[in-house]
């Protein structure tokens, strides 16, 4: 097993089983740029999980999606800084002062990414929440607020990449989950695109979970990602 490290891929290590987590770290860590640790793993194994992921040579993305008053978020970001992660997430809905507090607490050591509109949400979900506008319009507004707050980038649906790239310029990081191959079955993700389309539209980093971690042949999926230019 070999191949170049796929810098534009972040593998979402979402599992309840410690052994599986370790196996995914060894399998994907040397092959991709970033390993993503979310709440499911972090709440169980915390610091040791982050250390194991970092030990593979990949950067670690701590995806706990902070959304609280600015001082609480700043304290959480300070703790993440001690862990030595490279990326973390906050919700842009927490507002400008919350995002600014996160960026300041990151001290230039962690790239703060703002979540815009989660990729399982469609227009009717926003309507139910009494949030006017389509997901794309809302994502654009929230991404612009994140940029003004000093965030390094945003997490958005692949369908919003092109308009965000146009509006926010080449240096703002666009990180996109909701990546699916043409033949993958349906799950809870709704605003999705293929890896090639996401990269064409300007994704800096694609967050990919189940299409890799549940694949019968992960090597074949890594090869397909490499072929797509990841
Ligand atoms: O398995 P799948 O490819 O759907 O994994 C996507 C990952 O990206 C999950 O860990 C999920 O929590 C995360 N994510 C997302 N949508 C966002 C932000 C993060 O799906 N807007």
């Amino acid at each position: 097993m070999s191949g170049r490290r796929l810098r534009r891929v972040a593998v979402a290590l979402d599992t309840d089983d410690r052994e599986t987590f370790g196996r995914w770290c060894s399998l994907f860590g040397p092959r991709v740029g970033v390993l993503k640790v979310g709440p499911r793993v972090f709440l169980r194994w915390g610091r040791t999980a982050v250390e194991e992921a970092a030990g593979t040579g990949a950067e670690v993305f701590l995806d706990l999606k902070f959304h609280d008053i600015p001082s609480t978020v700043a304290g959480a970001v300070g703790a993440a800084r001690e862990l030595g992660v490279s990326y973390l997430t906050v919700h842009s809905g927490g507002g400008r002062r919350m995002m600014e507090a996160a960026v300041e607490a990151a001290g230039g050591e962690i790239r703060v990414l703002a979540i815009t509109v989660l990729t399982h949400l469609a227009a009717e979900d926003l309507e139910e929440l009494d949030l006017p506008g389509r997901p794309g319009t809302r994502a654009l507004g929230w991404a612009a607020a994140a940029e003004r707050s000093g965030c390094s980038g945003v997490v958005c649906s692949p369908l919003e990449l092109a308009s965000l790239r146009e509006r926010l310029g080449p240096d703002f990081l666009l990180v996109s989950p909701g990546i699916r191959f043409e033949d993958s079955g349906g799950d809870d993700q709704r605003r999705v695109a293929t890896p090639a389309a996401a990269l064409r539209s300007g994704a800096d980093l694609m967050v990919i979970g189940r299409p890799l971690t549940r694949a019968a042949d992960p090597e074949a999926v890594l090869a397909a990602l490499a072929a797509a230019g990841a």
Side-chain angles (χ1 to χ4, degrees):
M1 188 189 74
S2 63
R4 71 181 171 85
R5 192 181 274 278
L6 306 179
R7 301 255 162 225
R8 288 172 190 270
V9 173
V11 185
L13 304 171
D14 299 323
T15 175
D16 306 320
D17 178 60
R18 187 68 179 83
E19 234 180 274
T20 302
F21 177 78
R23 190 161 46 76
W24 287 349
C25 282
S26 332
L27 176 62
F28 298 117
R31 306 292 303 282
V32 300
V34 181
L35 292 177
K36 187 172 87 70
V37 171
R40 196 161 154 188
V41 158
F42 193 74
L43 287 170
R44 286 193 172 84
W45 309 298
R47 174 180 293 271
T48 59
V50 170
E51 284 168 358
E52 182 161 358
T56 66
E59 290 188 301
V60 179
F61 177 169
L62 186 65
D63 188 19
L64 299 181
K65 299 187 176 66
F66 300 135
H67 190 170
D68 211 315
I69 59 171
S71 59
T72 300
V73 168
V77 173
R81 203 167 150 181
E82 288 169 29
L83 277 177
V85 301
S86 300
Y87 299 87
L88 64 76
T89 42
V90 300
H91 272 284
S92 52
R96 181 176 53 77
R97 280 182 296 126
M98 189 208 76
M99 289 190 276
E100 284 173 356
V103 171
E104 193 187 335
E109 290 178 16
I110 307 178
R111 278 157 282 187
V112 175
L113 303 172
I115 303 291
T116 54
V117 180
L118 291 168
T119 39
H120 73 293
L121 294 171
E124 63 265 28
D125 298 302
L126 295 186
E127 205 174 301
E128 194 183 1
L129 292 167
D130 203 18
L131 292 170
R134 302 198 58 76
T137 318
R138 181 159 296 274
L140 199 54
W142 280 355
E147 193 203 26
R148 286 195 298 275
S149 307
C151 291
S152 298
V154 289
V155 179
C156 63
S157 148
L159 305 184
E160 283 127 30
L161 285 164
S163 59
L164 264 62
R165 179 58 75 212
E166 193 188 333
R167 166 91 175 262
L168 297 163
D171 299 328
F172 196 61
L173 289 177
L174 299 181
V175 177
S176 192
I179 304 295
R180 292 294 180 265
F181 291 89
E182 281 92 348
D183 53 359
S184 50
D187 51 38
D188 57 347
Q189 297 280 20
R190 293 171 83 177
R191 300 188 344 272
V192 300
T194 63
L199 291 168
R200 247 193 337 268
S201 307
D204 294 298
L205 192 62
M206 297 182 288
V207 173
I208 307 178
R210 289 162 289 182
L212 267 172
T213 56
R214 309 281 170 214
D217 184 358
E219 278 304 320
V221 181
L222 288 168
L225 288 166

